[in-house]
């Protein structure tokens, strides 16, 4: 059984077990199928043994007061037992027999439909499950605890089958009839509305669920933050995220989600401060953590020294790998922060890993700018050999290097090659004219 489907069972079989004999209940040994909030059991005659706790004391629905008759009690017990033993074929056969018998009362039919719904869920047949649970509800024969639990199951399956509007309508009807104040029900309503992209309704339901909860529910608050984020209400998303972070300042997921909200609000400084604080507290433990921070610094403008510091720390800790992407960013940041030694070292290492020649061409340009003409020429030729995407640029580096090395013939030959490419044709031809 899948975990998501088996979660339905404690509600769906409750009514049948509540009318089973003590012997049958005890022999099952599967308390997970009982509605744990219900403490009422009845013997085979239906006499009350223990006082039930009513889960919906404010319900507007009047309970029908029905029970299993002696005619169908044995069949109901057998049906429930077959389901518990995962003999679904037998359980469904008995369910069909009971629900199709004109002599069965509304309670007995509702129980049969419940079991049919759970069999359908176990078999992955959402359409059949929806039809069965709807029939159980429409039979209107269950007590309030079981009736409203069945409505919850119906709504859940409807949403699982992507029938969001139906699931929302079912759950709203359940809330209206039961007048429940259960926070988990409102959380489910919020989730359903979120999946249907009904963001205002989702936010309203989740805010109520959080207010009704006995204690903090970070899972619901994260969903509420997501609702506000997807709705474009970034200030509200930030409010929820800040509340979460105040309770758990070292929760990395909360921290990064809040940073993302700040970015949407064009508050990059706040996002950087969050991630930088996480770095100082040792919370950056994955490559993507460091990548997020150094990307923020890079995009902030004139923060390239911080980019270098973050990358070097990540490399030193072994969190970042010395791969092509990391070395390229390190070299570029070093270049823009005027640390040419680190830029050359970074591009040299990157060029050895780069099959395209792009890092090698960058290396050649930096070397040329630093007056390392022979090295620049060799790096540009190596980039050409790898098939760099803009060969004209490489030939221009070679031409300048050869000229500065007093190799006039080599410079002319390089310029003639550069003139073959649109990006460098005009510049190369001008320089050739000057060389005449």
């Amino acid at each position: 059984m899948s975990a998501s489907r088996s979660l339905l069972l404690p509600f769906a079989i409750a009514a049948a077990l509540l009318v089973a004999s003590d012997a049958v209940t005890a022999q099952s040994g599967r308390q997970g199928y009982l509605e744990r909030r219900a403490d009422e059991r009845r013997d085979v005659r239906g006499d009350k043994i223990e006082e039930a706790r009513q889960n919906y004391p404010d319900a507007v629905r009047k309970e029908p007061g029905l029970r299993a008759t002696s005619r169908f009690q044995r069949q109901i017990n057998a049906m429930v037992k077959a389901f518990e033993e995962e003999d679904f074929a037998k359980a469904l056969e008995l369910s069909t027999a009971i629900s199709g018998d004109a002599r069965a009362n509304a309670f007995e039919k509702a129980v049969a439909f419940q079991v049919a719904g759970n069999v359908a869920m176990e078999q992955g047949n959402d359409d059949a499950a929806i039809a069965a649970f709807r029939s159980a509800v429409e039979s209107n024969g269950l007590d309030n605890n079981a009736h409203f639990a069945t409505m919850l199951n119906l709504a859940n399956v409807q949403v699982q089958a992507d029938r969001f509007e139906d699931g929302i309508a079912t759950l709203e009807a359940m809330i209206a009839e039961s007048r429940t104040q259960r926070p988990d029900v409102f959380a489910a309503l919020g989730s359903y509305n979120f999946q249907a992209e009904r963001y205002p309704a989702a936010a309203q339901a989740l805010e109520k669920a959080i207010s009704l909860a006995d204690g903090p529910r970070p899972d619901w608050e994260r969903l509420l933050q997501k609702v506000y984020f997807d709705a474009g209400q970034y200030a509200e998303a930030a409010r929820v995220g800040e509340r979460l972070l105040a309770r758990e300042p070292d929760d990395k997921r909360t921290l990064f989600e809040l940073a993302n909200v700040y970015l949407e609000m064009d508050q990059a400084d706040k996002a950087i401060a969050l991630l930088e604080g996480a770095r100082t507290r040792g919370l950056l433990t994955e490559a993507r953590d460091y990548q997020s921070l150094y990307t923020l610094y890079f995009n902030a403008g004139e923060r390239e020294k911080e980019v270098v510091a973050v990358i070097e720390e990540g490399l030193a800790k072994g969190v970042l790998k010395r791969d092509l992407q990391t070395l390229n960013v390190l070299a570029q940041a070093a270049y823009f922060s005027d640390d040419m030694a680190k830029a050359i070292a970074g591009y040299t290492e990157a060029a050895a890993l780069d099959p395209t020649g792009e890092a090698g061409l960058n290396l050649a340009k930096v070397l040329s700018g630093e007056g390392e003409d022979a090295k620049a020429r060799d790096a540009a030729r190596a980039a050409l050999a790898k098939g760099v995407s803009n060969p004209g640029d490489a030939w221009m580096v070679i031409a300048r290097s050869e000229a500065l090395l007093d190799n006039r013939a080599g410079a002319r030959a390089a310029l003639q090659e550069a003139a073959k490419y649109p990006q460098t044709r005009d510049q190369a031809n001008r320089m050739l004219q000057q060389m005449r």
Side-chain angles (χ1 to χ4, degrees), residues 364-380:
K365 291 178 178 179
V366 176
L367 287 168
S368 179
E370 291 300 295
E372 298 281 353
D373 300 311
K375 291 180 180 179
R377 176 196 61 199
D378 294 344

Side-chain angles (χ1 to χ4, degrees), residues 301-322:
E302 299 183 0
R303 305 291 296 270
E304 288 84 6
K305 288 185 178 180
E306 286 91 340
V307 174
V308 172
V310 171
I311 291 177
E312 288 184 331
E313 179 182 291
L315 291 171
K317 290 183 175 181
V319 178
L320 288 175
K321 295 181 179 179
R322 304 189 75 85

Side-chain angles (χ1 to χ4, degrees), residues 329-388:
V329 176
L330 174 61
Q332 188 175 358
Y335 176 81
F336 284 119
S337 58
D338 294 323
D339 190 338
M340 296 306 162
K342 282 185 179 179
I344 290 170
Y347 278 132
T348 299
E349 194 173 351
L353 300 175
D354 185 7
T356 69
E358 302 301 328
L361 179 55
N362 284 333
L363 172 62
K365 291 178 178 179
V366 176
L367 287 168
S368 179
E370 291 300 295
E372 298 281 353
D373 300 311
K375 291 180 180 179
R377 176 196 61 199
D378 294 344
R381 289 192 178 279
L384 284 169
K386 290 183 176 181
V388 69

